[in-house]
Amino acid sequence: MKDAFGAPQSLLVLGGSSEIALATARRLVARRTRRVYLAGRPSPALDAAAERLRGLGAEVDTVVFDALDPASHEEVLGKVFAEGDIDAVLLAFGVLGDQAHDEQDPMAAVRVAQTNYTGAVSAALVCGAALQRQGHGSLVVLTSVAGERARRENFIYGSSKAGLDAFTQGLGDALHPCGVHVMAVRPGFVRTRMTAGRPEAPLSTTPEAVAAAIESGLRRRAETVWTPTALRPVMSALRHLPRPLFRLLTTPR
Amino acid sequence: MPVPLAPATAPVTGWGRTAPTVARLLRPGTYEEAVAAVRAADARGTIARGLGRAYGDAAQNAGGAVLDMTALDRIHEIDAVGGVITCDAGVSLHRLMEVLLPLGWFVPVTPGTRYVTVGGAIGADIHGKNHHVSGSFSRHVRALELLTGDGETRVVTPQDDPELFWATAGGMGLTGVVLAATIQLQSVGTTLMTVDTERAADLDDLMARMTATDHRYRYSVAWIDLLARGARTGRAVLTRGDHAPLEALPPRARRDPLAFRPRRLPAAPRLLPDGLLGRTTVGLFNELWYRTAPRERRGQLQRLAAFFHPLDGLPEWNRIYGRAGFVQYQFVVGHGQEETLRAVVERLAAHGCPSFLAVLKRFGDGDPGWLSFPMPGWTLALDIPAGLPGLAPLLDELDQQVAAAGGRVYLAKDSRLRPDVLAAMYPRLDDFRSLRARLDPRGAITSDLARRLAL
Ligand SMILES: Cc1cc2nc3c(=O)[nH]c(=O)nc-3n(C[C@H](O)[C@H](O)[C@H](O)COP(=O)(O)OP(=O)(O)OC[C@H]3O[C@@H](n4cnc5c(N)ncnc54)[C@H](O)[C@@H]3O)c2cc1C
Ligand SMILES: NC(=O)c1ccc[n+]([C@@H]2O[C@H](COP(=O)([O-])OP(=O)(O)OC[C@H]3O[C@@H](n4cnc5c(N)ncnc54)[C@H](OP(=O)(O)O)[C@@H]3O)[C@@H](O)[C@H]2O)c1
């Protein structure tokens, strides 16, 4: 159960090797979290993540989970919930894709969309239903500022996150009366392997800072979290820029 | 996916309004309905709830059923000569006072609010300002009717089944649903109190006064200003008293010495801004309250409700803490552990916890309840806004100090204790767990508190 400060005792991470997720898990384990499930595609990175959290005193299991195989989600995730209550689910999987390449290779673009959107839709619905049966719990979904307004530079990724963000808002409203807290987290540029080698955007941040924002969002039962928080006014200004101006500002020259 | 909601599903919190969870709310009007509800419990179980005055998650049960007991409110029998009452567990202490005071009887133990039920009083084995004289509530319970997880109802007395009785006393509703209880009452001649008030300059002064003279009074409690620092750390107002005898009343009051008509203001508004209770507001309030208290006053006559339940005048006052809600931290440390008490008070003062008037009480002997809170020593209770930065780790740190000193935290107030410190605080925890496993193998009775702390 979560305590009065929203600190969960059990955590399920979807995308168990994500750097943002791992930073979050570390932070939560330092508070109340004792039971962690890391769901993801089997890899040395996933095992290393589990080992690291064990070193901090958590009991950790890895679970084989592939966002691109939504038909399996019900069964795979159902097993986790059958073992006991999950106080918080962190949906962290996602791929950035390679915009330039993917524009030429529609099937690659579709894989980005299927991972970030379709796969997340199915996993979030499965988890949402399980949380609803428990009568409590938080579902934290990592969307992105990239979904706030599609940019020339990464609109395949951005549109998948826009879809996911909209889905998350709606799911939050659907689950609100059921005692389930749904929180969309919209990070800006976070320095992780996902963004490695890319030019840093303004207001860039770290996985640890995102983790802190998630912990505080859980405490406040926030529904939307911008991290860093300064992104909120920035994005709302950008959102209302006229198209020609927006294009001028965001198209790489 | 989200299936249409059953109409009676609702979010539930404790008095501190933190960590809401959703449950099916059932309100049995008869014992049969209560039995049926327990028998129908699914894997998520069921828990009894009284008036929801426990601060944390004790009377919540996410995904399962919560039995609102307040419709079971019949008074079965009053022995006006011997001062014994048998009533349903959903009867409030407020109601008992209305019924009993005109007969010259009072509840044996009252907490800081009258709006608790008999079931809640037993479930938390509550204590009052008279703990040093009268112990906790269950000491005065002669028998109770308990509906256990198997759907059977049994009469439990401390003589015939001491294990089940003392597991239930303070057992936070987890041994079953108390349906009715027989309680020994306290006789009173009037509904007025004679009260002595004195100011203590600091914590040492306060503890010295309480140690020296508490035994002269039936009721004793001190209010500490936790925002005072330095030499004034722990400054307090000590109020102690007893029921006034008829002779002490002025002639006019003697005509109706057992009158009980407490007044209530309208409830606090539903939507209040957060951060109303910052350090400045609370600091000002505490300052005023300390300065306006008499340095020393003897034999003041006070109405019973004003003496015991000052907060009951403002219904739903818990709303003033805003959306984030608040936590109450209450712990006890034994005699000889005054250093720990002092360290905790200094730590809280240094952190600048905006607490209205923390309450310090010197407990007498404990009772045998397995998870019962009181033990001989010092208990401190304070309310803190849940949104206060750094609060969670601060309280964790205090838990460690309290546990290391052989003390404990009160479960009826708790909403954030970590499970691994619990065993050190409650030595009979394992007995409690195995009794529950034997009594209720199906897990028909459970709560959020039970899940959080693996009770
Ligand atoms: C302003 C204020 C002042 C307080 N002062 C004190 C004080 O001085 N001393 C003190 O000891 N406490 C104090 N309390 C705490 C309060 O007395 C306890 O939490 C009490 O248990 C509340 O009773 P309730 O009927 O509201 O029960 P709830 O809060 O609804 O439930 C509390 C517990 O009792 C169990 N329970 C309730 N009914 C039954 C039943 N029929 N059968 C089995 N279990 C049941 C529940 O399962 C739960 O575990 C105070 C609380 C407030 C808000
Ligand atoms: N970094 C940023 O700047 C940034 C900004 C905004 C939002 N986000 C979002 O935050 C989340 C976490 O990102 P991160 O920065 O921590 O990146 P990361 O370390 O690369 O994590 C991405 C995770 O997604 C997993 N994943 C990818 N495809 C999967 C699939 N088909 N099935 C299961 N898991 C799959 C990866 O697992 P494998 O190890 O198996 O590949 C990895 O664990 C992502 O949703 C990302 O879109 C990131």
Side-chain angles (χ1 to χ4, degrees):
Chain A
M1 298 301 306
K2 281 190 286 189
D3 67 6
F5 308 112
Q9 293 180 306
S10 52
L11 173 71
L12 165 61
V13 179
L14 306 177
S17 64
S18 137
E19 286 184 44
I20 293 176
L22 190 56
T24 308
R26 277 204 307 273
R27 201 177 166 96
L28 295 177
V29 167
R31 297 285 325 137
R32 283 290 184 274
T33 306
R34 285 292 161 274
R35 192 76 183 91
V36 181
Y37 295 90
L38 296 181
R41 298 178 294 196
S43 72
L46 189 66
D47 294 335
E51 217 30 68
R52 186 137 185 222
L53 294 174
R54 281 186 199 111
L56 299 174
E59 191 188 329
V60 189
D61 273 328
T62 56
V63 178
V64 179
F65 167 85
D66 187 347
L68 288 169
D69 182 14
S72 69
H73 291 179
E74 188 96 56
E75 194 197 331
V76 169
L77 301 176
K79 276 190 195 146
V80 173
F81 282 92
E83 286 187 26
D85 282 16
I86 298 292
D87 300 339
V89 178
L90 176 56
L91 196 156
F93 60 79
V95 289
L96 194 51
D98 176 346
Q99 175 79 26
H101 168 270
D102 296 350
E103 282 176 25
Q104 308 304 318
D105 179 357
M107 282 320 290
V110 164
R111 269 197 301 284
V112 171
Q114 283 179 334
T115 306
N116 295 351
Y117 183 69
T118 328
V121 164
S122 117
L125 285 174
V126 169
C127 292
L131 295 175
Q132 182 186 351
R133 282 190 292 276
Q134 288 178 182
H136 73 105
S138 290
L139 172 62
V140 182
V141 180
L142 286 172
T143 68
S144 172
V145 289
E148 195 55 10
R149 186 165 186 183
R151 285 184 293 146
R152 168 70 192 90
E153 212 181 359
N154 66 357
F155 65 82
I156 297 175
Y157 173 80
S159 64
S160 72
K161 289 293 188 181
L164 179 59
D165 197 280
F167 173 82
T168 304
Q169 309 287 336
L171 187 66
D173 291 338
L175 291 177
H176 180 75
C178 314
V180 179
H181 163 227
V182 178
M183 179 165 93
V185 179
R186 298 175 181 160
F189 186 104
V190 190
R191 288 183 289 273
T192 66
R193 67 186 155 132
M194 181 177 271
T195 52
R198 287 174 184 270
E200 221 164 272
L203 293 175
S204 74
T205 184
T206 62
E208 287 71 28
V210 178
I214 290 176
E215 189 194 2
S216 135
L218 285 172
R219 179 165 60 72
R220 294 176 288 120
R221 294 177 76 80
E223 302 193 295
T224 309
V225 169
W226 298 82
T227 162
T229 42
L231 277 171
R232 182 183 180 166
V234 170
M235 287 314 294
S236 88
L238 277 184
R239 207 184 161 82
H240 295 101
L241 278 188
R243 274 291 273 286
L245 189 55
F246 185 77
R247 208 170 353 226
L248 198 69
L249 278 173
T250 58
T251 307
R253 264 146 299 170
Chain B
M1 197 248 342
V3 287
L5 290 167
T9 309
V12 182
T13 72
W15 190 245
R17 303 170 83 225
T18 53
T21 62
V22 164
R24 269 172 297 119
L25 274 185
L26 308 174
R27 196 157 184 266
T30 61
Y31 292 174
E32 291 69 33
E33 283 174 25
V35 170
V38 167
R39 292 202 172 141
D42 61 14
R44 305 234 23 119
T46 178
I47 191 72
R49 179 178 177 93
L51 281 164
R53 258 41 175 206
Y55 278 69
D57 49 9
Q60 296 175 216
N61 182 24
V66 167
L67 295 193
D68 173 349
M69 297 296 289
T70 54
L72 286 171
D73 63 351
R74 282 156 308 177
I75 292 179
H76 299 228
E77 204 181 331
I78 301 175
D79 169 359
V81 179
V84 179
I85 188 168
T86 302
C87 66
D88 283 350
V91 174
S92 71
L93 298 197
H94 173 75
R95 172 92 190 289
L96 287 186
M97 288 173 209
E98 284 181 334
V99 170
L100 294 170
L101 282 168
L103 303 174
W105 295 101
F106 188 52
V107 294
V109 168
T110 177
T113 170
R114 300 183 294 281
Y115 296 97
V116 303
T117 62
V118 166
I122 295 169
D125 194 16
I126 61 170
H127 57 269
K129 296 184 186 184
N130 58 349
H131 186 272
H132 61 293
V133 176
S134 304
S136 48
F137 195 86
S138 301
R139 189 186 288 185
H140 311 275
V141 175
R142 297 287 164 261
L144 44 86
E145 227 170 298
L146 185 68
L147 163 59
T148 44
D150 52 11
E152 299 300 319
T153 303
R154 41 192 110 189
V155 175
V156 188
T157 68
Q159 291 76 34
D160 298 342
D161 194 345
E163 291 227 320
L164 189 51
F165 186 88
W166 293 114
T168 302
M172 305 308 293
L174 294 169
T175 59
V177 179
V178 177
L179 295 174
T182 301
I183 305 156
Q184 176 68 54
L185 305 164
Q186 155 82 41
S187 89
V188 295
T190 73
T191 49
L192 290 176
M193 310 294 298
T194 51
V195 183
D196 288 357
T197 305
E198 52 201 282
R199 279 201 251 170
D202 59 34
L203 191 62
D204 287 336
D205 181 22
L206 176 65
M207 289 196 286
R209 287 168 192 256
M210 293 173 90
T211 306
T213 48
D214 257 11
H215 64 273
R216 294 188 198 151
Y217 300 88
R218 181 182 296 277
Y219 300 101
S220 162
V221 77
W223 307 77
I224 302 190
D225 175 7
L226 274 184
L227 281 175
R229 302 217 207 154
R232 299 178 308 162
T233 301
R235 69 172 179 181
V237 177
L238 178 57
T239 56
R240 301 185 287 189
D242 204 339
H243 299 283
L246 194 61
E247 314 82 79
L249 267 50
R252 257 191 59 205
R254 270 185 225 181
R255 267 181 266 149
D256 191 6
L258 292 168
F260 179 64
R261 286 180 291 268
R263 269 182 289 270
R264 297 196 94 188
L265 299 169
R270 193 168 290 281
L271 288 173
L272 282 168
D274 292 341
L276 213 54
L277 300 186
R279 249 159 243 166
T280 327
T281 5
V282 174
L284 267 171
F285 173 87
N286 286 3
E287 186 71 38
L288 252 173
W289 155 89
Y290 182 79
R291 295 207 173 276
T292 52
R295 203 170 290 280
E296 181 165 335
R297 179 163 61 195
R298 305 267 161 207
Q300 182 205 4
L301 283 179
Q302 219 176 34
R303 284 182 203 287
L304 188 144
F307 181 74
F308 287 110
H309 316 118
L311 287 170
D312 282 349
L314 181 63
E316 321 245 19
W317 59 264
N318 55 342
R319 288 177 184 161
I320 61 176
Y321 284 91
R323 231 174 72 94
F326 66 115
V327 298
Q328 178 162 104
Y329 192 64
Q330 181 170 7
F331 68 92
V332 57
V333 290
H335 294 302
Q337 300 295 338
E338 286 75 13
E339 271 319 307
T340 308
L341 176 65
R342 191 168 300 118
V344 170
V345 166
E346 275 162 13
R347 188 75 184 81
L348 288 165
H351 195 87
C353 279
S355 280
F356 280 120
L357 314 175
V359 172
L360 184 75
K361 159 92 201 144
R362 193 169 181 271
F363 276 154
D365 288 341
D367 286 282
W370 293 2
L371 297 190
S372 187
F373 168 67
M375 60 188 236
W378 300 94
T379 181
L380 181 73
L382 60 146
D383 290 346
I384 319 169
L388 184 74
L391 183 59
L394 171 70
L395 295 182
D396 283 354
E397 189 189 313
L398 301 188
D399 290 342
Q400 297 295 344
Q401 294 184 32
V402 167
R408 57 176 71 127
V409 163
Y410 190 9
L411 294 181
K413 308 289 179 75
D414 178 58
S415 54
R416 30 75 39 206
L417 196 65
R418 64 187 325 145
D420 41 281
V421 293
L422 196 68
M425 295 180 167
Y426 289 92
R428 299 215 60 181
L429 184 61
D430 280 339
D431 295 334
F432 186 78
R433 287 178 177 143
S434 45
L435 177 131
R436 270 195 1 108
R438 272 196 321 272
L439 191 68
D440 181 20
R442 203 163 63 90
I445 308 284
T446 191
S447 66
D448 288 358
L449 176 81
R451 286 193 189 91
R452 179 166 57 84
L453 294 177
L455 295 176

